[in-house]
């Protein structure tokens, strides 16, 4: 049986167009985009073309896009820059208990620097309460950081509602959209988002590159120092080949393609659930199936240790996961499931995340289901 990759929430294979574009750029545009000679100017033209494509995907201005090394740097940049530059106005931050570690660990770092962080709880479907959020807002709240869609259970969070509530508050609004950017239509200005983080390797682009959207409405000092690249906002010679690869990946995400992917991934999830129902397998969906990222399906397969199940599937050349790839290789339980159910719930050690993406087929999903049933 051929290999079946169902861990696209961890990382995605590069699209052939991305590989072709990166190869072209590495062969033809080796100049430093900051150099003023011809080689530098040609590289700079490519850089700005990529910035325009990415800005258009969000309907924002090109200079509101800052290229970074990926989602973690973008999250750190948004959160730490805001906290350090606005601490004279207040030292209170709000986030959720189910954020990616790139946000949660940054918040923990800031707590050590004297900031106060409110971690909004979630219910057993993984949803936050808007009344909890409203109650948490204070006059000294300077930043709200809430992810667009959760990377483990796939829940879409109430970003528009939060953005609307924050219009009457001075707090900046940051959203980690690393998992959502590939499938959701995101318009930061319409949603009231001031800062938004993404990563190319989640959308069939290269690893080691991403961007931070920073609204013109807010002002932040640079987090790093040492150069004047990215309009003095993020020093360091730009990764032109990676950025152009990200551009090519974004170009594959036209509105029609996003909709087609949503529909296909939704059908894959239904195919799996129908199979489980027909085989009378005891399971529960983790998260809110009614408002979710279409490519993520998190299942509690009752009385089945997930570490053993992953090993059995891996031996059959099938890749799924137990949660965030950033905690892979550790014995740490899912902080998302713990926030939903408590630390002692069996779901913590009996759940797997299945995530769909490029080149996954209905035939592969059927093969996966057959192997899964035989492995339980």
């Amino acid at each position: 049986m051929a290999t079946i990759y169902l861990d696209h929430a961890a990382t995605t294979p590069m699209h052939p167009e991305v590989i072709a574009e990166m190869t072209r750029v590495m062969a033809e545009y080796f100049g430093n985009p900051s150099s003023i000679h011809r080689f530098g100017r040609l590289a700079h033209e490519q850089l700005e073309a990529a910035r325009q494509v990415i800005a258009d995907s969000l309907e924002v201005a090109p200079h509101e896009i800052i290229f970074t090394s990926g989602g973690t740097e973008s999250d750190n940049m948004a959160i730490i820059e805001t906290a350090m530059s606005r601490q004279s106005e207040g030292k209170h931050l709000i986030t959720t208990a189910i954020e990616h570690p790139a946000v949660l660990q940054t918040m923990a770092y800031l707590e050590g620097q004297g900031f106060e962080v409110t971690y909004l709880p979630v219910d057993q479907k993984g949803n936050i309460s808007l009344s909890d959020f409203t109650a948490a807002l204070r006059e000294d709240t300077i930043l709200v950081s809430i992810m667009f869609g959760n990377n483990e259970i796939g829940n879409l969070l109430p970003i528009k509602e939060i953005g609307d509530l924050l219009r009457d508050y001075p707090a900046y609004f940051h959203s980690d959209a690393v998992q959502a950017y590939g499938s959701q239509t995101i318009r930061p200005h319409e949603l009231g988002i001031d800062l938004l983080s993404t990563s190319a390797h989640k959308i069939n682009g290269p690893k080691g590159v991403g961007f931070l959207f920073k609204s013109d409405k807010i002002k932040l000092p640079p987090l790093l120092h040492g150069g004047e690249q990215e309009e003095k906002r993020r020093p360091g010679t730009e990764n032109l080949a990676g950025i152009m690869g990200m551009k090519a990946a974004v170009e594959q995400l036209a509105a029609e393609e996003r909709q087609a992917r949503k529909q296909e991934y939704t059908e894959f999830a239904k195919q799996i659930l129908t199979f489980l129902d027909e085989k009378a397998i005891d399971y529960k969906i983790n998260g809110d199936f009614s408002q979710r990222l279409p490519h993520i399906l998190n299942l509690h397969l009752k009385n089945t240790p997930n570490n053993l199940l992953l090993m059995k599937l891996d031996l059959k050349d099938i890749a799924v996961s137990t949660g965030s790839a950033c905690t892979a290789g550790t014995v740490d339980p899912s902080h998302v499931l713990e926030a939903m159910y408590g630390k002692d719930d069996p779901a913590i050690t009996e759940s797997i995340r299945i995530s769909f993406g490029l080149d996954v087929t209905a035939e592969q999903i059927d093969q996966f289901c057959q192997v899964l049933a035989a492995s339980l």
Side-chain angles (χ1 to χ4, degrees):
M1 185 178 72
T3 58
I4 298 175
Y5 184 72
L6 297 175
D7 197 17
H8 291 258
T11 195
T12 59
M14 283 199 289
H15 193 284
E17 293 293 333
V18 171
I19 297 172
E21 177 68 353
M22 292 181 69
T23 302
R24 179 189 74 86
V25 172
M26 285 188 285
E28 299 178 15
Y29 298 96
F30 65 86
N32 188 322
S34 297
S35 298
I36 61 174
H37 49 60
R38 180 176 183 274
F39 298 95
R41 294 197 306 272
L42 290 174
H44 184 75
E45 288 174 3
Q46 296 290 302
L47 182 71
E48 294 311 310
R51 200 186 309 276
Q52 184 67 63
V53 167
I54 291 167
D56 288 346
S57 74
L58 298 174
E59 294 188 358
V60 301
H63 60 265
E64 293 181 305
I65 300 298
I66 304 169
F67 293 123
T68 69
S69 64
T72 295
E73 182 188 342
S74 297
D75 285 339
N76 274 256
M77 184 183 295
I79 296 168
I80 296 176
E81 284 183 11
T82 298
M84 294 304 183
S85 66
R86 301 194 68 198
Q87 57 185 313
S88 63
E89 303 168 56
K91 303 189 78 170
H92 179 237
L93 318 172
I94 298 175
T95 189
T96 77
I98 61 169
E99 297 293 314
H100 188 277
V103 170
L104 290 178
Q105 292 184 23
T106 305
M107 291 290 183
Y109 162 75
L110 289 172
E111 285 183 296
Q113 303 300 308
F115 289 85
E116 180 183 353
V117 181
T118 295
Y119 297 90
L120 298 174
V122 294
D123 61 21
Q124 290 205 339
K125 284 194 172 183
N127 294 322
I128 65 170
S129 162
L130 286 174
S131 60
D132 285 348
F133 172 72
T134 303
L137 279 173
R138 304 184 336 204
E139 290 184 0
D140 62 338
T141 304
I142 57 172
L143 175 69
V144 172
S145 181
I146 295 180
M147 64 192 342
F148 208 101
N150 185 264
N151 55 299
E152 291 195 26
I153 58 174
N155 280 29
L156 287 165
L157 280 77
I159 297 300
K160 182 181 185 303
E161 293 82 354
I162 292 168
D164 289 342
L165 288 168
L166 286 175
R167 293 186 194 278
D168 295 328
Y169 284 84
Y172 290 173
F173 185 19
H174 167 252
S175 184
D176 179 331
V178 168
Q179 284 294 339
Y181 179 59
S183 66
Q184 305 300 302
T185 299
I186 302 175
R187 301 289 179 259
H189 290 306
E190 294 178 12
L191 295 169
I193 296 172
D194 301 303
L195 298 150
L196 182 127
S197 307
T198 70
S199 186
H201 78 102
K202 305 292 189 179
I203 59 167
N204 306 113
K207 296 174 179 63
V209 63
F211 68 85
L212 174 68
F213 157 79
K214 185 189 78 66
S215 172
D216 276 342
K217 297 177 182 178
I218 68 171
K219 295 186 181 300
L220 290 177
L223 177 64
L224 305 176
H225 302 276
E228 298 191 359
Q229 292 86 355
E230 298 300 292
E231 298 182 7
K232 301 182 181 181
R233 299 171 302 180
R234 196 269 189 179
T237 302
E238 291 93 347
N239 173 10
L240 183 60
I243 290 168
M244 293 301 287
M246 179 166 59
K247 166 184 171 284
V250 171
E251 289 175 326
Q252 304 302 314
L253 296 174
E256 298 81 5
E257 176 63 21
R258 289 178 193 263
Q259 186 56 40
R261 292 189 188 192
K262 281 185 184 182
Q263 184 173 348
E264 183 177 46
Y265 301 159
T266 299
E267 290 303 315
F268 289 159
K270 290 179 180 178
Q271 185 178 345
I272 293 171
L273 298 179
T274 298
F275 177 88
L276 295 176
D277 290 337
E278 290 175 349
K279 296 294 183 180
I281 293 172
D282 195 3
Y283 76 93
K284 183 180 75 172
I285 298 172
N286 295 317
D288 192 338
F289 198 70
S290 67
Q291 48 181 10
R292 53 183 279 277
L293 297 169
H295 66 291
I296 294 177
L297 179 64
N298 196 305
L299 297 176
H300 176 196
L301 298 165
K302 299 180 181 180
N303 302 313
T304 303
N306 54 15
N307 58 342
L308 295 179
L309 179 58
L310 259 63
M311 291 173 59
K312 291 179 181 179
L313 293 174
D314 186 48
L315 289 172
K316 296 293 185 178
D317 289 328
I318 296 175
V320 297
S321 74
T322 56
S324 173
C326 293
T327 57
T330 74
V331 295
D332 294 337
S334 164
H335 70 280
V336 175
L337 297 182
E338 283 190 348
M340 292 165 60
Y341 303 129
K343 293 185 177 182
D344 298 324
D345 194 279
I348 309 300
T349 56
E350 297 176 355
S351 295
I352 63 171
R353 180 185 68 183
I354 306 157
S355 49
F356 317 115
L358 185 68
D359 294 333
V360 175
T361 66
E363 291 74 22
Q364 288 182 332
I365 297 299
D366 181 64
Q367 292 173 25
F368 161 71
C369 289
Q370 299 296 333
V371 174
L372 176 65
S375 302
L376 296 177

